[in-house]
Amino acid sequence: SIIAENRNAASEPSTIRLRWKGKAVRDEFVVKPKLYVLAIGVGAYQDPNLKLGFAAKDARDFAQSMERQKGGLYRDVTVRIPADQKATKDDIMDGLEWIQRETTSKDVAMVFLAGHGVNDPAGIYYYLPVNADTDKLKRTGVSFSDIRNTVASLAGKAVLFVDTCHSGNVMGTRRGVADITAVVNELASAENGVVVFASSTGRQYSLEDASWGNGAFTKALIAGLTGGADFRKDGVVTHQGLSYFLGQEVKTLTKGRQTPVT
């Protein structure tokens, strides 16, 4: 794929597919990539109206599912899990700095966010750390620009999973109504080269339920990554296959109330 760009904009990628019909080089030395995972989950907010039941567990469960990939596609898997009380704004910013510093051009980086996402009056999207104050978002929230700048500048391949837009006890078990569409579109634009999976579209709620033990998106995500999205039964999950699986599984779990996007 080739992207043309100048100081004003970048084009959509122009893509052609090539098939190699020559001899396979079986004796070539191949170094497998390392996988770095930053899994952030916040449910035990200081503001009781924001509390969530499974966001921290979502982050831990996702990280554990990826740790099991060690020795397969990845020669090693390193995880960092800022969750609940260890997910202050400083902790999250340290985590973003860590994954940016550690990931080389040969590696893969995954960032997972579960918790609250909100828009300020200007429409700017913020992820809420455990100590967030919704009346002081600039000082206590993690702005989308910090997330975007980190993920887009990673040296290796980058994948972002966003299970946010949560509203906690204010809205029962519904995880919020922040509009993340613009965030996803901007980060997934051609020049950033990031694959983005988001739990819901537009101003939909993201749902969690005790019977699932996770948010609907995370439950489906883990099921897909651990084999559910291996449609060819060859031990490989592609991002296209995972996208299709998430759409079908989340729709079934939530009875059509939540639609993930890739």
Side-chain angles (χ1 to χ4, degrees), residues 33-84:
K34 289 184 70 174
L35 173 63
Y36 292 94
V37 177
L38 177 65
I40 306 167
V42 183
Y45 285 96
Q46 294 177 3
D47 182 344
N49 291 321
L50 298 176
K51 289 188 182 297
L52 292 166
F54 298 102
K57 182 176 181 292
D58 286 346
R60 295 187 187 102
D61 288 352
F62 172 78
Q64 288 172 6
S65 72
M66 297 317 300
E67 281 182 308
R68 292 196 291 270
Q69 301 300 319
K70 181 177 179 178
L73 175 62
Y74 308 106
R75 73 180 189 273
D76 195 14
V77 178
T78 303
V79 305
R80 190 160 173 171
I81 313 171
D84 279 346

Tab-separated table of all heavy atoms in Angstrom, residues 33-84:
chain	number	residue	atom	x	y	z
A	33	PRO	N	8.169	-11.194	16.368
A	33	PRO	CA	8.001	-9.920	17.082
A	33	PRO	C	7.688	-10.140	18.554
A	33	PRO	O	7.242	-11.213	18.959
A	33	PRO	CB	6.806	-9.280	16.365
A	33	PRO	CG	6.019	-10.442	15.841
A	33	PRO	CD	7.033	-11.489	15.470
A	34	LYS	N	7.929	-9.117	19.343
A	34	LYS	CA	7.448	-9.092	20.716
A	34	LYS	C	6.105	-8.354	20.739
A	34	LYS	O	5.841	-7.499	19.884
A	34	LYS	CB	8.441	-8.380	21.633
A	34	LYS	CG	9.719	-9.143	21.890
A	34	LYS	CD	10.613	-8.411	22.886
A	34	LYS	CE	10.046	-8.425	24.285
A	34	LYS	NZ	10.990	-7.836	25.279
A	35	LEU	N	5.277	-8.697	21.695
A	35	LEU	CA	3.994	-8.022	21.868
A	35	LEU	C	4.014	-7.250	23.182
A	35	LEU	O	4.325	-7.811	24.238
A	35	LEU	CB	2.849	-9.033	21.890
A	35	LEU	CG	1.454	-8.478	22.239
A	35	LEU	CD1	0.987	-7.468	21.197
A	35	LEU	CD2	0.438	-9.607	22.373
A	36	TYR	N	3.701	-5.967	23.102
A	36	TYR	CA	3.572	-5.125	24.293
A	36	TYR	C	2.095	-4.762	24.466
A	36	TYR	O	1.444	-4.302	23.512
A	36	TYR	CB	4.415	-3.855	24.168
A	36	TYR	CG	5.896	-4.124	24.188
A	36	TYR	CD1	6.611	-4.294	23.007
A	36	TYR	CD2	6.585	-4.241	25.401
A	36	TYR	CE1	7.969	-4.564	23.020
A	36	TYR	CE2	7.947	-4.508	25.417
A	36	TYR	CZ	8.631	-4.668	24.231
A	36	TYR	OH	9.976	-4.940	24.257
A	37	VAL	N	1.579	-4.979	25.660
A	37	VAL	CA	0.160	-4.731	25.933
A	37	VAL	C	0.032	-3.753	27.098
A	37	VAL	O	0.555	-3.997	28.190
A	37	VAL	CB	-0.577	-6.038	26.289
A	37	VAL	CG1	-2.041	-5.744	26.644
A	37	VAL	CG2	-0.497	-7.034	25.129
A	38	LEU	N	-0.658	-2.646	26.852
A	38	LEU	CA	-1.036	-1.712	27.908
A	38	LEU	C	-2.546	-1.827	28.067
A	38	LEU	O	-3.299	-1.404	27.192
A	38	LEU	CB	-0.634	-0.282	27.542
A	38	LEU	CG	-1.057	0.805	28.546
A	38	LEU	CD1	-0.344	0.612	29.888
A	38	LEU	CD2	-0.774	2.199	27.978
A	39	ALA	N	-2.992	-2.443	29.164
A	39	ALA	CA	-4.422	-2.682	29.393
A	39	ALA	C	-4.873	-1.856	30.586
A	39	ALA	O	-4.467	-2.114	31.725
A	39	ALA	CB	-4.676	-4.168	29.634
A	40	ILE	N	-5.716	-0.860	30.319
A	40	ILE	CA	-6.158	0.088	31.348
A	40	ILE	C	-7.640	-0.143	31.622
A	40	ILE	O	-8.449	-0.184	30.687
A	40	ILE	CB	-5.931	1.541	30.894
A	40	ILE	CG1	-4.461	1.745	30.490
A	40	ILE	CG2	-6.336	2.525	31.988
A	40	ILE	CD1	-4.206	3.049	29.741
A	41	GLY	N	-8.000	-0.294	32.890
A	41	GLY	CA	-9.409	-0.497	33.238
A	41	GLY	C	-9.759	0.209	34.532
A	41	GLY	O	-9.079	0.031	35.544
A	42	VAL	N	-10.808	1.012	34.505
A	42	VAL	CA	-11.214	1.764	35.694
A	42	VAL	C	-12.704	1.584	35.939
A	42	VAL	O	-13.531	1.899	35.069
A	42	VAL	CB	-10.899	3.274	35.550
A	42	VAL	CG1	-11.262	4.006	36.850
A	42	VAL	CG2	-9.441	3.503	35.206
A	43	GLY	N	-13.043	1.052	37.107
A	43	GLY	CA	-14.442	0.943	37.517
A	43	GLY	C	-14.687	1.523	38.893
A	43	GLY	O	-15.776	1.998	39.193
A	44	ALA	N	-13.652	1.512	39.758
A	44	ALA	CA	-13.787	1.980	41.145
A	44	ALA	C	-13.511	3.481	41.230
A	44	ALA	O	-12.603	3.935	41.940
A	44	ALA	CB	-12.841	1.209	42.050
A	45	TYR	N	-14.292	4.261	40.507
A	45	TYR	CA	-14.086	5.711	40.484
A	45	TYR	C	-14.328	6.334	41.853
A	45	TYR	O	-15.174	5.852	42.632
A	45	TYR	CB	-15.013	6.354	39.450
A	45	TYR	CG	-14.570	6.136	38.024
A	45	TYR	CD1	-15.105	5.104	37.268
A	45	TYR	CD2	-13.616	6.955	37.451
A	45	TYR	CE1	-14.698	4.892	35.958
A	45	TYR	CE2	-13.199	6.752	36.132
A	45	TYR	CZ	-13.743	5.723	35.396
A	45	TYR	OH	-13.331	5.515	34.107
A	46	GLN	N	-13.603	7.417	42.135
A	46	GLN	CA	-13.817	8.143	43.380
A	46	GLN	C	-15.204	8.758	43.431
A	46	GLN	O	-15.795	8.883	44.501
A	46	GLN	CB	-12.726	9.213	43.548
A	46	GLN	CG	-11.338	8.613	43.750
A	46	GLN	CD	-10.244	9.655	43.833
A	46	GLN	OE1	-10.507	10.862	43.805
A	46	GLN	NE2	-9.002	9.200	43.937
A	47	ASP	N	-15.733	9.145	42.288
A	47	ASP	CA	-17.104	9.626	42.200
A	47	ASP	C	-18.035	8.414	42.168
A	47	ASP	O	-18.016	7.632	41.219
A	47	ASP	CB	-17.278	10.450	40.921
A	47	ASP	CG	-18.676	11.041	40.781
A	47	ASP	OD1	-19.604	10.578	41.488
A	47	ASP	OD2	-18.850	11.948	39.945
A	48	PRO	N	-18.867	8.221	43.204
A	48	PRO	CA	-19.707	7.015	43.259
A	48	PRO	C	-20.684	6.897	42.097
A	48	PRO	O	-21.110	5.793	41.759
A	48	PRO	CB	-20.439	7.154	44.595
A	48	PRO	CG	-20.360	8.615	44.942
A	48	PRO	CD	-19.066	9.095	44.375
A	49	ASN	N	-21.032	8.012	41.476
A	49	ASN	CA	-21.970	7.974	40.352
A	49	ASN	C	-21.344	7.408	39.083
A	49	ASN	O	-22.047	7.129	38.111
A	49	ASN	CB	-22.513	9.377	40.064
A	49	ASN	CG	-23.433	9.871	41.156
A	49	ASN	OD1	-24.221	9.105	41.700
A	49	ASN	ND2	-23.307	11.142	41.506
A	50	LEU	N	-20.035	7.262	39.086
A	50	LEU	CA	-19.338	6.779	37.890
A	50	LEU	C	-18.939	5.305	37.975
A	50	LEU	O	-18.401	4.758	37.017
A	50	LEU	CB	-18.066	7.610	37.658
A	50	LEU	CG	-18.253	9.102	37.392
A	50	LEU	CD1	-16.893	9.787	37.293
A	50	LEU	CD2	-19.059	9.330	36.121
A	51	LYS	N	-19.208	4.677	39.099
A	51	LYS	CA	-18.681	3.328	39.325
A	51	LYS	C	-19.193	2.325	38.287
A	51	LYS	O	-20.337	2.390	37.850
A	51	LYS	CB	-19.037	2.850	40.735
A	51	LYS	CG	-18.256	3.572	41.824
A	51	LYS	CD	-18.489	2.951	43.187
A	51	LYS	CE	-17.748	3.709	44.276
A	51	LYS	NZ	-16.289	3.669	44.101
A	52	LEU	N	-18.305	1.406	37.904
A	52	LEU	CA	-18.608	0.323	36.971
A	52	LEU	C	-18.221	-1.004	37.611
A	52	LEU	O	-17.326	-1.070	38.450
A	52	LEU	CB	-17.831	0.507	35.663
A	52	LEU	CG	-18.242	1.707	34.801
A	52	LEU	CD1	-17.197	1.960	33.736
A	52	LEU	CD2	-19.601	1.466	34.176
A	53	GLY	N	-18.885	-2.063	37.169
A	53	GLY	CA	-18.657	-3.353	37.792
A	53	GLY	C	-17.483	-4.134	37.249
A	53	GLY	O	-16.826	-4.862	37.992
A	54	PHE	N	-17.173	-3.997	35.934
A	54	PHE	CA	-16.251	-4.960	35.324
A	54	PHE	C	-15.112	-4.343	34.518
A	54	PHE	O	-14.361	-5.080	33.887
A	54	PHE	CB	-17.043	-5.916	34.424
A	54	PHE	CG	-18.055	-6.735	35.178
A	54	PHE	CD1	-19.396	-6.392	35.143
A	54	PHE	CD2	-17.662	-7.822	35.933
A	54	PHE	CE1	-20.335	-7.123	35.849
A	54	PHE	CE2	-18.588	-8.567	36.645
A	54	PHE	CZ	-19.937	-8.212	36.600
A	55	ALA	N	-14.964	-3.012	34.523
A	55	ALA	CA	-13.949	-2.400	33.664
A	55	ALA	C	-12.532	-2.843	34.018
A	55	ALA	O	-11.725	-3.161	33.138
A	55	ALA	CB	-14.063	-0.876	33.720
A	56	ALA	N	-12.196	-2.882	35.312
A	56	ALA	CA	-10.853	-3.317	35.715
A	56	ALA	C	-10.653	-4.792	35.380
A	56	ALA	O	-9.582	-5.199	34.911
A	56	ALA	CB	-10.643	-3.069	37.204
A	57	LYS	N	-11.674	-5.602	35.621
A	57	LYS	CA	-11.597	-7.025	35.282
A	57	LYS	C	-11.449	-7.200	33.768
A	57	LYS	O	-10.725	-8.091	33.304
A	57	LYS	CB	-12.834	-7.757	35.773
A	57	LYS	CG	-12.826	-9.263	35.511
A	57	LYS	CD	-14.048	-9.925	36.124
A	57	LYS	CE	-14.043	-11.444	35.898
A	57	LYS	NZ	-14.223	-11.802	34.490
A	58	ASP	N	-12.129	-6.364	32.997
A	58	ASP	CA	-11.991	-6.418	31.542
A	58	ASP	C	-10.526	-6.265	31.141
A	58	ASP	O	-10.018	-7.017	30.300
A	58	ASP	CB	-12.812	-5.309	30.882
A	58	ASP	CG	-14.306	-5.580	30.907
A	58	ASP	OD1	-14.707	-6.724	31.191
A	58	ASP	OD2	-15.074	-4.639	30.648
A	59	ALA	N	-9.851	-5.270	31.729
A	59	ALA	CA	-8.446	-5.020	31.384
A	59	ALA	C	-7.570	-6.214	31.770
A	59	ALA	O	-6.715	-6.647	30.998
A	59	ALA	CB	-7.955	-3.754	32.078
A	60	ARG	N	-7.794	-6.755	32.960
A	60	ARG	CA	-6.980	-7.898	33.410
A	60	ARG	C	-7.245	-9.128	32.543
A	60	ARG	O	-6.315	-9.853	32.169
A	60	ARG	CB	-7.285	-8.202	34.874
A	60	ARG	CG	-6.879	-7.088	35.838
A	60	ARG	CD	-7.040	-7.520	37.282
A	60	ARG	NE	-6.799	-6.401	38.198
A	60	ARG	CZ	-7.765	-5.720	38.799
A	60	ARG	NH1	-9.041	-6.042	38.593
A	60	ARG	NH2	-7.470	-4.714	39.602
A	61	ASP	N	-8.512	-9.373	32.230
A	61	ASP	CA	-8.850	-10.556	31.423
A	61	ASP	C	-8.266	-10.441	30.022
A	61	ASP	O	-7.771	-11.429	29.461
A	61	ASP	CB	-10.373	-10.716	31.345
A	61	ASP	CG	-10.979	-11.173	32.660
A	61	ASP	OD1	-10.221	-11.516	33.592
A	61	ASP	OD2	-12.223	-11.173	32.769
A	62	PHE	N	-8.324	-9.233	29.439
A	62	PHE	CA	-7.735	-9.032	28.106
A	62	PHE	C	-6.232	-9.289	28.152
A	62	PHE	O	-5.682	-9.994	27.294
A	62	PHE	CB	-8.019	-7.624	27.600
A	62	PHE	CG	-7.290	-7.287	26.338
A	62	PHE	CD1	-7.739	-7.755	25.119
A	62	PHE	CD2	-6.132	-6.524	26.367
A	62	PHE	CE1	-7.052	-7.472	23.940
A	62	PHE	CE2	-5.437	-6.231	25.199
A	62	PHE	CZ	-5.905	-6.707	23.994
A	63	ALA	N	-5.551	-8.722	29.154
A	63	ALA	CA	-4.100	-8.889	29.253
A	63	ALA	C	-3.733	-10.360	29.416
A	63	ALA	O	-2.789	-10.854	28.791
A	63	ALA	CB	-3.561	-8.063	30.426
A	64	GLN	N	-4.495	-11.079	30.240
A	64	GLN	CA	-4.208	-12.501	30.440
A	64	GLN	C	-4.403	-13.304	29.162
A	64	GLN	O	-3.626	-14.217	28.859
A	64	GLN	CB	-5.098	-13.053	31.551
A	64	GLN	CG	-4.709	-12.572	32.939
A	64	GLN	CD	-5.717	-12.959	34.008
A	64	GLN	OE1	-6.676	-13.689	33.734
A	64	GLN	NE2	-5.518	-12.472	35.220
A	65	SER	N	-5.429	-12.958	28.392
A	65	SER	CA	-5.660	-13.684	27.137
A	65	SER	C	-4.519	-13.453	26.161
A	65	SER	O	-4.150	-14.352	25.392
A	65	SER	CB	-6.997	-13.262	26.510
A	65	SER	OG	-6.936	-11.953	25.975
A	66	MET	N	-3.921	-12.256	26.171
A	66	MET	CA	-2.819	-11.969	25.271
A	66	MET	C	-1.505	-12.578	25.780
A	66	MET	O	-0.645	-12.955	24.984
A	66	MET	CB	-2.659	-10.458	25.078
A	66	MET	CG	-3.873	-9.791	24.425
A	66	MET	SD	-4.575	-10.706	23.022
A	66	MET	CE	-3.197	-10.752	21.893
A	67	GLU	N	-1.343	-12.700	27.086
A	67	GLU	CA	-0.140	-13.345	27.623
A	67	GLU	C	-0.028	-14.785	27.142
A	67	GLU	O	1.078	-15.307	26.966
A	67	GLU	CB	-0.165	-13.304	29.156
A	67	GLU	CG	0.233	-11.960	29.738
A	67	GLU	CD	0.232	-11.978	31.257
A	67	GLU	OE1	-0.781	-12.376	31.854
A	67	GLU	OE2	1.264	-11.587	31.839
A	68	ARG	N	-1.159	-15.417	26.900
A	68	ARG	CA	-1.151	-16.809	26.437
A	68	ARG	C	-0.669	-16.938	24.995
A	68	ARG	O	-0.468	-18.056	24.506
A	68	ARG	CB	-2.552	-17.419	26.586
A	68	ARG	CG	-2.979	-17.595	28.029
A	68	ARG	CD	-4.164	-18.532	28.171
A	68	ARG	NE	-5.396	-17.985	27.647
A	68	ARG	CZ	-6.258	-17.269	28.377
A	68	ARG	NH1	-6.011	-17.013	29.654
A	68	ARG	NH2	-7.367	-16.813	27.839
A	69	GLN	N	-0.457	-15.817	24.307
A	69	GLN	CA	0.043	-15.850	22.931
A	69	GLN	C	1.569	-16.002	22.874
A	69	GLN	O	2.135	-16.134	21.781
A	69	GLN	CB	-0.370	-14.578	22.182
A	69	GLN	CG	-1.878	-14.359	22.109
A	69	GLN	CD	-2.586	-15.488	21.394
A	69	GLN	OE1	-2.092	-15.980	20.383
A	69	GLN	NE2	-3.730	-15.897	21.903
A	70	LYS	N	2.223	-15.941	24.016
A	70	LYS	CA	3.683	-16.092	24.037
A	70	LYS	C	4.082	-17.455	23.487
A	70	LYS	O	3.513	-18.480	23.857
A	70	LYS	CB	4.206	-15.942	25.467
A	70	LYS	CG	5.721	-16.056	25.574
A	70	LYS	CD	6.179	-15.822	27.004
A	70	LYS	CE	7.691	-15.970	27.113
A	70	LYS	NZ	8.185	-15.711	28.493
A	71	GLY	N	5.037	-17.457	22.578
A	71	GLY	CA	5.498	-18.698	21.971
A	71	GLY	C	4.767	-19.051	20.694
A	71	GLY	O	5.142	-19.991	19.998
A	72	GLY	N	3.718	-18.309	20.369
A	72	GLY	CA	3.013	-18.512	19.104
A	72	GLY	C	3.542	-17.534	18.075
A	72	GLY	O	4.691	-17.632	17.628
A	73	LEU	N	2.717	-16.561	17.714
A	73	LEU	CA	3.170	-15.526	16.785
A	73	LEU	C	4.257	-14.665	17.422
A	73	LEU	O	5.158	-14.176	16.754
A	73	LEU	CB	1.981	-14.653	16.374
A	73	LEU	CG	2.293	-13.444	15.486
A	73	LEU	CD1	2.889	-13.889	14.152
A	73	LEU	CD2	1.027	-12.621	15.246
A	74	TYR	N	4.183	-14.493	18.749
A	74	TYR	CA	5.098	-13.589	19.446
A	74	TYR	C	6.121	-14.368	20.259
A	74	TYR	O	5.771	-15.320	20.960
A	74	TYR	CB	4.308	-12.665	20.381
A	74	TYR	CG	3.177	-11.952	19.673
A	74	TYR	CD1	1.853	-12.337	19.881
A	74	TYR	CD2	3.434	-10.916	18.781
A	74	TYR	CE1	0.818	-11.698	19.218
A	74	TYR	CE2	2.410	-10.274	18.120
A	74	TYR	CZ	1.103	-10.667	18.336
A	74	TYR	OH	0.081	-10.040	17.684
A	75	ARG	N	7.379	-13.943	20.195
A	75	ARG	CA	8.408	-14.638	20.975
A	75	ARG	C	8.303	-14.298	22.456
A	75	ARG	O	8.740	-15.062	23.321
A	75	ARG	CB	9.806	-14.292	20.441
A	75	ARG	CG	10.321	-12.907	20.748
A	75	ARG	CD	11.714	-12.705	20.164
A	75	ARG	NE	12.339	-11.472	20.593
A	75	ARG	CZ	12.169	-10.300	19.986
A	75	ARG	NH1	11.386	-10.218	18.913
A	75	ARG	NH2	12.784	-9.210	20.442
A	76	ASP	N	7.691	-13.149	22.758
A	76	ASP	CA	7.502	-12.765	24.154
A	76	ASP	C	6.334	-11.790	24.232
A	76	ASP	O	6.027	-11.091	23.253
A	76	ASP	CB	8.772	-12.108	24.708
A	76	ASP	CG	8.769	-12.020	26.226
A	76	ASP	OD1	7.928	-12.695	26.852
A	76	ASP	OD2	9.596	-11.271	26.776
A	77	VAL	N	5.678	-11.773	25.369
A	77	VAL	CA	4.558	-10.857	25.608
A	77	VAL	C	4.800	-10.148	26.929
A	77	VAL	O	5.006	-10.790	27.960
A	77	VAL	CB	3.206	-11.609	25.660
A	77	VAL	CG1	2.072	-10.631	25.948
A	77	VAL	CG2	2.950	-12.373	24.371
A	78	THR	N	4.803	-8.823	26.900
A	78	THR	CA	4.998	-8.018	28.103
A	78	THR	C	3.762	-7.163	28.326
A	78	THR	O	3.325	-6.454	27.409
A	78	THR	CB	6.240	-7.115	27.966
A	78	THR	OG1	7.389	-7.919	27.688
A	78	THR	CG2	6.477	-6.328	29.246
A	79	VAL	N	3.185	-7.242	29.516
A	79	VAL	CA	1.948	-6.506	29.789
A	79	VAL	C	2.144	-5.522	30.926
A	79	VAL	O	2.970	-5.728	31.822
A	79	VAL	CB	0.776	-7.458	30.109
A	79	VAL	CG1	0.579	-8.480	29.002
A	79	VAL	CG2	0.970	-8.151	31.439
A	80	ARG	N	1.364	-4.481	30.881
A	80	ARG	CA	1.282	-3.507	31.981
A	80	ARG	C	-0.194	-3.203	32.169
A	80	ARG	O	-0.891	-2.913	31.187
A	80	ARG	CB	2.084	-2.252	31.625
A	80	ARG	CG	2.256	-1.279	32.785
A	80	ARG	CD	3.435	-0.364	32.513
A	80	ARG	NE	3.566	0.684	33.496
A	80	ARG	CZ	4.608	1.498	33.582
A	80	ARG	NH1	5.606	1.367	32.725
A	80	ARG	NH2	4.656	2.434	34.499
A	81	ILE	N	-0.681	-3.276	33.428
A	81	ILE	CA	-2.120	-3.189	33.673
A	81	ILE	C	-2.418	-2.132	34.741
A	81	ILE	O	-2.557	-2.447	35.932
A	81	ILE	CB	-2.699	-4.555	34.122
A	81	ILE	CG1	-2.199	-5.680	33.228
A	81	ILE	CG2	-4.222	-4.516	34.140
A	81	ILE	CD1	-2.554	-7.065	33.724
A	82	PRO	N	-2.526	-0.861	34.372
A	82	PRO	CA	-3.020	0.141	35.322
A	82	PRO	C	-4.532	-0.055	35.498
A	82	PRO	O	-5.294	0.118	34.552
A	82	PRO	CB	-2.716	1.473	34.635
A	82	PRO	CG	-1.809	1.140	33.491
A	82	PRO	CD	-2.145	-0.266	33.102
A	83	ALA	N	-4.953	-0.446	36.697
A	83	ALA	CA	-6.367	-0.734	36.927
A	83	ALA	C	-6.817	-0.134	38.246
A	83	ALA	O	-6.079	-0.139	39.236
A	83	ALA	CB	-6.626	-2.238	36.924
A	84	ASP	N	-8.049	0.385	38.254
A	84	ASP	CA	-8.689	0.965	39.438
A	84	ASP	C	-7.761	1.930	40.167
A	84	ASP	O	-7.342	2.912	39.591
A	84	ASP	CB	-9.232	-0.140	40.342
A	84	ASP	CG	-10.593	-0.656	39.834
A	84	ASP	OD1	-11.204	0.020	38.975
A	84	ASP	OD2	-11.032	-1.715	40.287
